[in-house]
């Protein structure tokens, strides 16, 4: 019944042999009584103290897995994090495909970039691979990493809906 904080992360892990980095980091405050969730994206390149040194916040996951990321975000935000969810590239693709795709409004067209794909601006239904391209792109969009964080929130909202 009480409000709580959850950490949602998307890792760039591509195999079971590597830990990857948490390139998508969202802190969510869930208030069950009000049936409301507030989401804030945390820039992956934000510099924080981790294990006695200064590093990008997404490195906490590389150093100490989910527990390290939870500690780093909790300390940075000043809130206790009691819930956690993580998806990697293949899990994101599988989730969206299992849902039969998701309908989103892509804010701007792009081609190439780090996601390796292209999308046109406008409302459309994306499959898993297209969703991965949309959520990864930061080089061929005007807002860079901020646009990527916006795309990730758009996708999260579509999945919830």
């Amino acid at each position: 019944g009480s409000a709580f904080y959850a950490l949602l992360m998307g890792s760039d892990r591509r195999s079971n042999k590597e830990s990857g980095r948490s390139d998508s980091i969202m802190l969510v405050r869930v208030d069950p009584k009000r049936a409301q969730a507030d989401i804030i994206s945390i820039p992956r390149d934000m510099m924080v103290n981790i294990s006695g040194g200064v590093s990008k916040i997404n490195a906490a996951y590389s150093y100490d897995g989910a527990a390290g990321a939870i500690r780093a975000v909790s300390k940075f935000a000043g809130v206790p994090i009691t819930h956690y969810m993580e998806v990697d590239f293949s899990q994101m693709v599988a989730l969206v495909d299992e849902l039969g795709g998701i309908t989103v409004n892509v804010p701007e067209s792009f081609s190439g970039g780090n996601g390796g794909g292209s999308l046109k601006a406008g409302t459309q239904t994306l499959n898993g691979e297209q969703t991965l391209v949309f959520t990864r792109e930061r080089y061929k969009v005007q807002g860079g990493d901020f646009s990527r964080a916006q795309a990730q929130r758009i996708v999260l909202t579509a999945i919830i809906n």
Side-chain angles (χ1 to χ4, degrees):
S2 298
F4 62 90
Y5 289 91
L7 182 63
L8 306 181
M9 293 195 323
S11 76
D12 66 356
R13 181 171 45 93
R14 293 172 178 86
S15 74
N16 291 332
K17 296 179 182 176
E18 63 178 19
S19 62
R21 294 163 300 202
S22 54
D23 280 352
S24 175
I25 307 168
M26 292 182 226
L27 182 61
V28 181
R29 182 180 184 275
V30 178
D31 187 340
K33 290 179 184 174
R34 295 177 62 197
Q36 181 176 331
D38 298 305
I39 305 167
I40 184 168
S41 294
I42 298 173
R44 70 185 199 104
D45 293 336
M46 183 173 322
M47 302 302 282
V48 296
N49 285 318
I50 301 171
S51 301
V54 177
S55 294
K56 293 179 183 180
I57 198 163
N58 75 336
Y61 181 81
S62 300
Y63 296 154
D64 200 17
I70 291 167
R71 277 193 304 276
V73 173
S74 181
K75 183 177 179 183
F76 161 74
V79 298
I81 296 172
T82 57
H83 293 73
Y84 162 78
M85 185 185 90
E86 172 190 350
V87 295
D88 63 23
F89 288 176
S90 62
Q91 292 166 333
M92 173 61 75
V93 170
L95 172 62
V96 172
D97 286 344
E98 182 69 24
L99 293 171
I102 56 171
T103 301
V104 299
N105 186 359
V106 176
E108 63 183 294
S109 299
F110 63 86
S111 179
N114 65 311
S118 302
L119 289 173
K120 298 278 187 198
T123 301
Q124 55 202 289
T125 299
L126 303 180
N127 66 25
E129 287 293 335
Q130 292 167 317
T131 299
L132 186 61
V133 165
F134 181 44
T135 58
R136 291 190 63 211
E137 189 50 56
R138 64 183 172 144
Y139 296 119
K140 299 292 183 172
V141 289
Q142 290 183 348
D145 210 33
F146 294 107
S147 290
R148 178 166 71 168
Q150 176 189 26
Q152 293 164 353
R153 288 189 306 273
I154 289 169
V155 166
L156 178 60
T157 301
I159 289 170
I160 291 168
N161 289 338

